[in-house]
Amino acid sequence: RPTAATTATAAGTAAATASGSPGGTGRMPEAGAWRARLDLLPASDRRATLTDLLRAEVADVLGYPHADALPAGRSLAELGFDSLTAVQIRNRVSAALGLRLPVGVVFDHRTAEDLARHLLGLLPADPTAAATHASPATTEAGARPAYTLSSLFRNISAAGQPVAAMHLLVTASRALPTFTADRGHEHALPPIRRSPGRPGSGRPTIVYFPAYHPSLPSEGGDFPRFHRAFHDDLDVLEFPHPGTGAGAAVPEDLAALARTQAGSILRHVGEGPVVLVGRSAGGNVAHLVAHRLEGMGRAPSGLVLLDTYHITPDNSGTDWLLSLAAPPPSETGQPGFARDDDGALAAMGAYNRIFLGWTPEPVTTPTLLVRAQRPTPAMADSADGDDWRTSWPTAHDVVDVPGDHLTMMREHAGSTASAIRAWIEERVVPTLALPIESR
């Protein structure tokens, strides 16, 4: 089959910096410590104190020596938070205040003062009411704790059973409302612009599909370094998965998903050329949508799969592989879990469910498989030989980039983006000048 293997080269691992790379001491504030401190203060002093505490934690997580070293005038998002550091700050603040907070709380508030105001609104105005916030497990000796889907998922994942954890989400997803292909336009979510391209350049727009998790509202999304690498070069639009972050319903089947996202692309991008890019499991969606667009006579100019694994009956019980498809527990500090709620988890299970047994259809769209050069620690511990390397069943080009399944999008994001741009210049751009019937 027509494949072409190339290898991308780049500089070594980028050192962690204060702007975007996770740093800090890794310490976790003592449980309830901030709550206890705030309870001793008059109401007039609580917001200023909490703001100072938040700024100190932000500085530590982002690797600054102290809060005063934070650049003045920048919002929390502009300071360089990505999904990993957002999880870290959420975990610390949640523990210190005894609150259950979503990861997106960092991106939903512009400044530490705004965030402090929001958090104080979640705390009881009367400190004597704090006892009512104790967990059900501690309010009554011997009481049965109330389990949620997310808590059960975390427990199973922490026990080292990712396959069982994914089965839990898949089963739970059957309780969600669904939409059919002819109603997809009602459930399609608007794209999020991750990178501004060059106006009037005539270059293709990158349509980006993340893995099956909610799309973070921050400018850089889950992988800000990757998206920033395309700034002033290629326009990047991320198309969220319906039901994972916004909206209650999920696609009924693959036909509903393909028609919904293909129609959304045509509405938002128009007649211009597009290159579909799918990250991890999002590559399945990208390939599915490419096939749908071809059938509509609007074939994309290119298709890029970022370390996407094709799950088959032969490998569907592989722990390390299923752990990539499942959202990691929030305590691990891994990216990809943007909302710690049952609905988002069940929706992720739904996307995994509708792709069970799927075989990618052959496409004529030029396709690139971007592979990581190194295995993750879990892959290295469990996979036999080079079995950890991804492959794809339809015709494609191949490029290997530095890093593993995650670091290729973070520390080595520049190399990954450069490999994509080089392939687009070689395989996609020359065809844009050809008549449609000659492509």
Side-chain angles (χ1 to χ4, degrees), residues 274-303:
V274 299
V275 173
L276 307 186
V277 177
R279 154 71 183 161
S280 190
N284 296 326
V285 180
H287 187 109
L288 182 76
V289 173
H291 183 263
R292 170 70 184 179
L293 289 171
E294 287 186 0
M296 299 170 67
R298 299 290 300 277
S301 300
L303 169 64

Side-chain angles (χ1 to χ4, degrees), residues 99-158:
L99 293 174
R100 184 184 180 88
L101 301 172
V103 174
V105 72
V106 175
F107 302 112
D108 292 341
H109 300 86
R110 175 171 172 76
T111 65
E113 186 174 11
D114 291 339
L115 178 55
R117 184 183 299 109
H118 168 74
L119 294 174
L120 286 176
L122 303 178
L123 296 175
D126 180 4
T128 61
T132 63
H133 290 259
S135 66
T138 60
T139 55
E140 182 179 346
R144 183 189 298 273
Y147 291 109
T148 62
L149 177 62
S150 54
S151 66
L152 292 172
F153 168 76
R154 288 195 299 269
N155 290 343
I156 297 173
S157 297

